Amino acid sequence: MPAVEEIVADQPDLAAPEASGGRVRRYGPWALLSYLALGVLVLLQLWRDPSGRVLSANDDDHGFFLFVLAHGERVLFHGENPFFTDRLNVPDGVNIMANTTVLALSVPFAPVTHFLGVGVTMVLLLTLGLAGTAAAWWWVLSRHLVRGPLAAWVGGLWCGFAPAMVSHANGHINFVSQFVVPFIVRQVVRLREPGRVLRGGVILGLLIVLQVFINEETLLFTAITMFVVVVAWACSARQAALEAARRFVLGLGVAAGTALVLLAYPLWVQFAGPQSYSGQPFEPGKFVTDLLSLGAYARQSLGGNGVVARALSPSPTEDNAFWGVPMLVMLVVAGRMLWHHLAARAAMIAGLVLLVMSLGPQLRVAGHDTGVPLPFALIAHVPVIDLISVTRFAMVPATIIGVLLALAADRAVLLPSRRRIAFWVGLAVAVVPVLPKPLPVIGAPVTPPFIAQRMWEQYVPEGRTLVTVPVPEVTTGRTGMRWFALSGLDYRIPRGYFMVPANPPANRTGSWNAAPRPTSDLLRWAGAYGRMPVVTDADRRAAIDDLTYWRAAVVVLVPDTPHRDLLQNLLTDLLGAAPQQVGGVQLWVIHPTG
């Protein structure tokens, strides 16, 4: 029997011939339906009540993306600024470009938000993000890289539903929507072809613009990956690289010019506009990939164990590795089968480089930092790199795994019968335990008539705000942020959950909270610890000053909030009046001062 090396050595070129349109048409609908069905299964619990449930693993980001989608509706239906909003974090506003815009999704789906509600848009985009990413990789694989439809389907399945993707489906619309990435990769690779400089460069530039308005982090990951791939390929195929270099560089120049013309103003707003910031509110080494997570299973995989995953992962939304030991074995097998293919080898090198980057500045094993330095420490504070949660670099090798599995499966048909059967059995053993389970949800608090029936309109004139207590901030005040989004952002609120400068102008480091105010700090402390503070005249004056700063028209106590009675008493003392009971809430009317 011929060895694997002998079989693959006869196929020096990685790319398969263009697949016939008939084959794509024949198998395409079934592939798309299978991915869509699996996407619905993953989000099944949320589909049952999109507006009355939240993803339990990440209700903060769930609320934030409800806001982002509602903002997209206002851009289309009310003509509001797509890059900045003054309806949240009054009076300072929020730089939408400096946060996660997903404008390329929120604006096209604004009619869904307008007519069916922001909750429906949320679950629809999460579902389509997973299924669409799988379908996009299936299309590129089946048209350009593999001959067998099953091999392409397996690759698409992994790329769309890998543990990292399912983990980010806990609210991160931006990270599950990676369906543009395979087309960016395809265009970059095709720049080396004659006659592609102008046309290919313009197409690539437009795809880059589209990806910027979905998720810039994913675009950065893709750019770094393709840089490593190209360098690794060029080192192994110097003559071919020299012949294609001029066309490739010129094509990249056209792409960069196209993208820059269209993105110049949005990027200026992001990095130099109002409420722009620099850096993250945590050190680069805080959220990294644990080495043991490579061989473990994610909590939302069929083979997952919540206790193990919690010990090896920063959060349920960041299970960015978790491939399992069988998959690691299959990667060794696939690597051996594909090593003679230059492009596949370059992809393996890129995956390894990005995996090492995801480990952070020092090696972490079983939740403990070992002190072993890693290369990422050299670039941890480089601008733009310092805006990234490091563990997310592991999403790149996760995608590359899908491509390698498709290529290896396609070449498995050339193996002798026993080895072919062994390959497919091994692949099933590796993939099945990683398949996803439905994401868990919890019921959201019922929206009271004061909000649902728009009774607030009688109390909040244009230019004034509705202040909910707990005040909306990261990890607290989720209900107020949710009410705001479900209302279509029809009223304004102070503070909220987003990224803004920590305390400008003195401190422009990114923060998940607005600059501190005495009253929001006091209310947060009382609500968190359940202890009534001693209220002084200075506290009462500060409350009036802060409410004036926030342009408050009414303060609303969220029903059933923890320590509700304590917060009611605290607000009564601060404001010097008892609350009114209106539409299922207690509220205090704030009259303008001065």
Side-chain angles (χ1 to χ4, degrees), residues 204-224:
L204 177 59
L206 294 176
L207 289 172
I208 289 171
V209 172
L210 180 61
Q211 183 59 47
V212 162
F213 291 116
I214 295 176
N215 188 8
E216 290 172 291
E217 275 187 77
T218 298
L219 180 61
L220 178 61
F221 297 160
T222 305
I224 295 172

Side-chain angles (χ1 to χ4, degrees), residues 102-120:
V102 296
L103 285 167
L105 303 175
S106 65
V107 174
F109 280 82
V112 178
T113 303
H114 186 79
F115 293 108
L116 299 180
V118 69
V120 173

